[in-house]
Amino acid sequence: FALDLDIRRKALEAVIGDSEKIRDLHERVGRVGLAIHRRCAELGLPLLLEDSGGRGRHLWGFLHEPLPVELVHNFGRAVVKALAPRDAALDLEFFPKQRRARPDQLGNLIKLPLGVHQRTGRRGPLLDSSGEPIADAWGALGSIERLRTKTFFSAFAALRAVAIESADASTPGDAASKSTDST
């Protein structure tokens, strides 16, 4: 599965021609990608961080055992609900987007790790926990920790709790009494 963090097209279009503001957007998506990566690690989700080669970051999760696509999709909804950035210029999506896989269709596509971005022609480097490119990308890809089913369910429960806390905190009149972790 993958988290896809991007700068929204409208946010980029709004700053066309202003290299400083464009650089700021790219720095923000980098910082938020690192924050999501750290938060996922705290939840027991070993994700591989990648510069997407386009407008953002991909965070890849690899399962130890196959799980039903509907379950993984619901997990993704919990991830997005709990960890979506509060920055209106950024967007977080989860793949797979579909609840069910149809044998005659591929579903939504996402560039694989170390692939070349179709629009920019840039190869997306893998990044370490400080956001720097990993020298031995193939070694890092080959040694990524795979998520065991028990850990998957523990993280799923924790994400749902974070989402509930965030929803409670955003209730009018109650926000001052609750704190939330922002990414």
Side-chain angles (χ1 to χ4, degrees):
F1 61 85
L3 292 166
D4 182 10
L5 176 68
D6 282 318
I7 301 168
R8 293 179 188 268
R9 285 187 208 274
K10 287 186 178 190
L12 274 174
E13 290 169 358
V15 297
I16 287 177
D18 188 333
S19 60
E20 191 171 317
K21 288 183 179 179
I22 291 170
R23 187 174 29 260
D24 175 64
L25 284 172
H26 283 282
E27 287 174 4
R28 283 164 44 195
V29 80
R31 284 192 308 270
V32 171
L34 285 172
I36 291 172
H37 186 254
R38 276 191 299 275
R39 185 66 175 121
C40 286
E42 292 167 2
L43 293 167
L45 295 171
L47 301 182
L48 185 66
L49 181 61
E50 175 194 33
D51 178 325
S52 69
R55 296 178 284 131
R57 300 290 185 266
H58 291 162
L59 295 99
W60 294 94
F62 298 89
L63 301 171
H64 192 266
E65 302 91 13
L67 292 172
V69 70
E70 186 168 5
L71 176 64
V72 176
H73 172 81
N74 289 337
F75 170 77
R77 289 181 57 195
V79 170
V80 170
K81 191 171 190 174
L83 304 179
R86 290 180 174 84
D87 186 332
L90 304 180
D91 184 47
L92 184 65
E93 294 180 288
F94 186 88
F95 289 80
K97 290 185 176 187
Q98 296 82 12
R99 289 182 186 268
R100 290 179 181 73
R102 289 184 30 189
D104 60 330
Q105 292 185 333
L106 293 174
N108 295 98
L109 302 177
I110 186 169
K111 177 191 67 60
L112 292 174
L114 303 178
V116 175
H117 193 277
Q118 191 173 34
R119 287 195 183 111
T120 66
R122 285 185 51 229
R123 184 172 305 279
L126 300 182
L127 305 173
D128 64 19
S129 60
S130 64
E132 295 299 318
I134 295 173
D136 182 12
W138 288 106
L141 188 59
S143 65
I144 186 71
E145 182 182 349
R146 293 174 188 259
L147 188 59
R148 297 214 173 258
T149 302
K150 181 179 177 181
T151 307
F152 175 90
F153 283 110
S154 295
F156 199 170
L159 285 163
R160 294 174 104 180
V162 168
I164 290 168
E165 288 172 15
S166 294
D168 287 348
S170 64
T171 303
D174 196 29
S177 66
K178 306 236 188 242
S179 68
T180 59
D181 181 28
S182 67
T183 54

